[in-house]
Amino acid sequence: MKLHTFKIGGVHPAENKIAAGKPIENVPLPEEVVLPVSQHIGAPANPIVKKGDKVKRGDCVAEAGGFVSAPVHTPISGTVTKIDIARTPQGMPVQAIYIKSDEADREADAQALAKRDTPVRTGNDLATLDAKAIIDIIKNAGIVGLGGATFPTHVKLSPPPGSKAEVVIINAAECEPCLSCDDMLMRENPREIVKGVELLMRAAGVNRGVIAIENNKPEAIAAITEAASSVAGLEVMPMKVKYPQGGEKQLIEAVIGKEVPSGALPIATGAIVQNVATAYAVYRAVVLGEPLMDRVLTLHDGETGRNLRVPLGTILATLTDGREPEKIIIGGPMMGRTASTLQTPMIKGTSGILLDQRYAHRRPVENCIRCGKCAEACPMGLEPFLLATLSRLKEWEEVEANKIANCIECGSCSYACPASRPVVDYVRLGKQTVMGIMRARAAAAKK
């Protein structure tokens, strides 16, 4: 069996997926949720409730703040206690809506949960939906990319004029070590995911869909292949186990053999990429009428692992029994970010909580030996050692000229470095600075 992959760079970190095979556990609805209005790329959502308002589970509490934005819905019934500042795991202040339930609210939620798998659209209802109707449902449900980027899904399904989609690619690679939430979602909900992919294909106006799964997930491949067998134009494509196989540009190259041009959007290749958990959320929105109110994440502490379906707004510390070890990573070990605290709410982009202290310490930094391993590992064909050095020296014009904007911040360079240099840290700093300069330049040009 041919295993597809991208051509340039990549690394093979230890998979360490100890939660693979562990059934998804449903975390009970909390008595209180904290819902940040910035849970996506783009403009923050605008609160449409105020202190003292009563809300029901599934109500929209913040509407999209623009085209590139997404609304926020409450997973619990209750009373808005305040609209105030909350902290992200990294300590950044964000506006958030605080909601608290009482006994009557929890009884109403229990009744709603008992009916949550009852379709509101079946058969003829689904058949009558055109592309715009599906996109509108997705938009109103607040669905974003659940692989971590959190780009609003309806925006990807609405390419700019002159662009045309030819294929929908479902990113089910889950190449990040330690995480297994997508794997278990595919094993437990293959038919729902395939129906979600069908709806995405209809919304994009394409006749071809590809579900790309790394070959270290044989149970998921088998389950999805069986579910997709009767869907015309939909194939399951086994992928070689290599990081970052799930990178959007790398996945497009591996699946259709096209390279996203520098500075261009992926749609330039005719491809729209969506995460497999996003496809499941689309199914729930279109078929069940349920907005995005929870997601599955992996909790990994080095000894055990769990896959949890967690309501948005749940304080993360409640998932770890109050444990806050020396170092916490939100996400996976390669692209995750260090958290300052777990006293922070679950949001749409939270794919994992990593408490494994094997990832807590870096090796001592040594002098660069000019071996070039970081360049060999870079899946974008960049020179990370050069970009890191120029960023450290604040040579921003040179940094931009060497195409730092193409960096996907995958961390392959730092992983491959035998001198343990913080290559990706400097590159990330340089990219943030250069992107700011580029935005300012573009804004000035419009004046």
Side-chain angles (χ1 to χ4, degrees), residues 11 18 37 47 53 57 62 69 83 89 102 124 138 147 161 180 250 252 254 276 285 303 316 332 366 381 390-391:
V11 293
I18 60 176
V37 298
D53 283 354
R57 172 178 161 81
S69 185
I83 298 176
D102 59 22
N124 292 336
I138 290 170
S180 57
Q250 285 65 45
I252 290 172
V276 67
E303 300 296 329
L316 295 180
E366 302 176 16
L390 292 173
S391 296

Side-chain angles (χ1 to χ4, degrees), residues 203-227:
V206 303
N207 296 318
R208 185 188 180 199
V210 178
I211 304 175
I213 311 174
E214 276 198 331
N215 200 44
N216 59 355
K217 304 172 184 63
E219 296 87 355
I221 290 174
I224 294 292
T225 298
E226 180 182 358

Side-chain angles (χ1 to χ4, degrees), residues 16 35 92 127 153 161 171 177 197 212 247 253 269 287 313 318 359 369 427:
N16 206 12
L35 299 169
M92 297 293 292
T153 301
N171 179 4
V197 178
E253 179 191 344
T269 66
V287 178
T318 63
Y359 300 102
I369 60 174
V427 174

Side-chain angles (χ1 to χ4, degrees), residues 35-47 62-72 93-97 152 348:
L35 299 169
V37 298
S38 299
Q39 300 189 39
H40 50 266
I41 287 177
N46 297 318
E63 61 186 7
F67 178 60
V68 184
S69 185
V72 177
V94 293
Q95 188 181 42
I97 301 166
K348 297 176 183 180

Side-chain angles (χ1 to χ4, degrees), residues 190-195 197-198 201 209-211 213 220-237:
R191 297 190 182 282
E192 293 86 347
I193 287 169
V194 167
K195 175 56 70 173
V197 178
E198 285 187 83
M201 291 168 62
V210 178
I211 304 175
I213 311 174
I221 290 174
I224 294 292
T225 298
E226 180 182 358
S229 60
S230 61
V231 180
L234 181 59
E235 65 176 302
V236 177
M237 183 176 291

Side-chain angles (χ1 to χ4, degrees), residues 326-348:
E326 183 180 356
K327 186 172 183 179
I328 306 156
I329 296 174
I330 302 299
M334 296 297 289
M335 291 191 73
R337 298 295 181 92
T338 301
S340 57
T341 178
L342 286 176
Q343 300 297 330
T344 186
M346 166 80 172
I347 60 173
K348 297 176 183 180

Side-chain angles (χ1 to χ4, degrees), residues 90-407:
Q90 291 74 36
M92 297 293 292
V94 293
Q95 188 181 42
I97 301 166
Y98 291 68
I99 300 171
K100 191 168 186 178
S101 65
D102 59 22
E103 188 173 342
D105 294 323
R106 290 190 284 278
E107 177 60 30
D109 287 344
Q111 295 177 11
L113 284 172
K115 302 175 182 178
R116 74 189 300 257
D117 290 319
T118 303
V120 299
R121 297 183 182 89
T122 59
N124 292 336
D125 295 326
L126 292 174
T128 60
L129 295 176
D130 60 13
K132 183 180 183 304
I134 295 172
I135 293 173
D136 284 345
I137 293 170
I138 290 170
K139 177 182 179 180
N140 293 332
I143 298 175
V144 301
L146 296 178
T150 66
F151 196 83
T153 301
H154 70 275
V155 178
K156 275 194 176 183
L157 293 171
S158 308
S163 301
K164 187 179 186 308
E166 299 172 357
V167 58
V168 167
I169 300 174
I170 300 300
N171 179 4
E174 198 169 42
C175 59
E176 181 78 68
C178 301
L179 303 187
S180 57
C181 45
D182 287 351
D183 181 9
M184 294 312 300
L185 195 61
M186 287 187 283
R187 296 196 208 185
E188 296 187 11
N189 300 277
R191 297 190 182 282
E192 293 86 347
I193 287 169
V194 167
K195 175 56 70 173
V197 178
E198 285 187 83
L199 291 165
L200 286 168
M201 291 168 62
R202 284 173 54 189
V206 303
N207 296 318
R208 185 188 180 199
V210 178
I211 304 175
I213 311 174
E214 276 198 331
N215 200 44
N216 59 355
K217 304 172 184 63
E219 296 87 355
I221 290 174
I224 294 292
T225 298
E226 180 182 358
S229 60
S230 61
V231 180
L234 181 59
E235 65 176 302
V236 177
M237 183 176 291
M239 312 297 289
K240 184 177 180 179
V241 178
K242 185 169 70 167
Y243 179 87
Q245 189 75 261
E248 188 171 41
K249 295 179 180 180
Q250 285 65 45
L251 200 61
I252 290 172
E253 179 191 344
V255 172
I256 63 174
K258 293 183 179 180
E259 182 177 334
V260 179
S262 178
L265 296 172
I267 190 63
T269 66
I272 292 177
V273 180
Q274 299 285 358
N275 181 263
V276 67
T278 305
Y280 179 68
V282 167
Y283 162 81
R284 298 201 67 86
V286 179
V287 178
L288 305 182
E290 182 179 277
L292 183 58
M293 296 184 288
D294 59 36
R295 67 155 297 153
V296 181
L297 62 75
T298 298
L299 174 62
H300 178 108
D301 68 5
E303 300 296 329
T304 60
R306 301 167 67 192
N307 299 298
L308 307 174
R309 180 176 283 107
V310 186
L312 300 179
T314 301
I315 299 302
L316 295 180
T318 63
L319 308 177
T320 66
D321 301 321
R323 289 174 296 159
E324 293 212 12
E326 183 180 356
K327 186 172 183 179
I328 306 156
I329 296 174
I330 302 299
M334 296 297 289
M335 291 191 73
R337 298 295 181 92
T338 301
S340 57
T341 178
L342 286 176
Q343 300 297 330
T344 186
M346 166 80 172
I347 60 173
K348 297 176 183 180
T350 309
S351 59
I353 303 174
L354 184 59
L355 308 178
D356 190 341
Q357 294 307 284
R358 283 175 290 183
Y359 300 102
H361 301 285
R362 300 188 184 191
R363 300 188 305 270
V365 176
E366 302 176 16
N367 292 330
C368 176
I369 60 174
R370 306 294 192 273
C371 65
K373 289 187 181 297
C374 60
E376 292 176 6
C378 180
M380 294 303 296
L382 303 174
E383 296 180 284
F385 64 92
L386 176 61
L387 293 174
T389 300
L390 292 173
S391 296
R392 181 169 56 84
L393 297 175
K394 300 182 180 181
E395 298 287 349
W396 305 129
E397 289 186 8
E398 285 294 309
V399 172
E400 182 178 354
N402 280 277
K403 300 187 183 301
I404 199 169
N406 288 351
C407 172

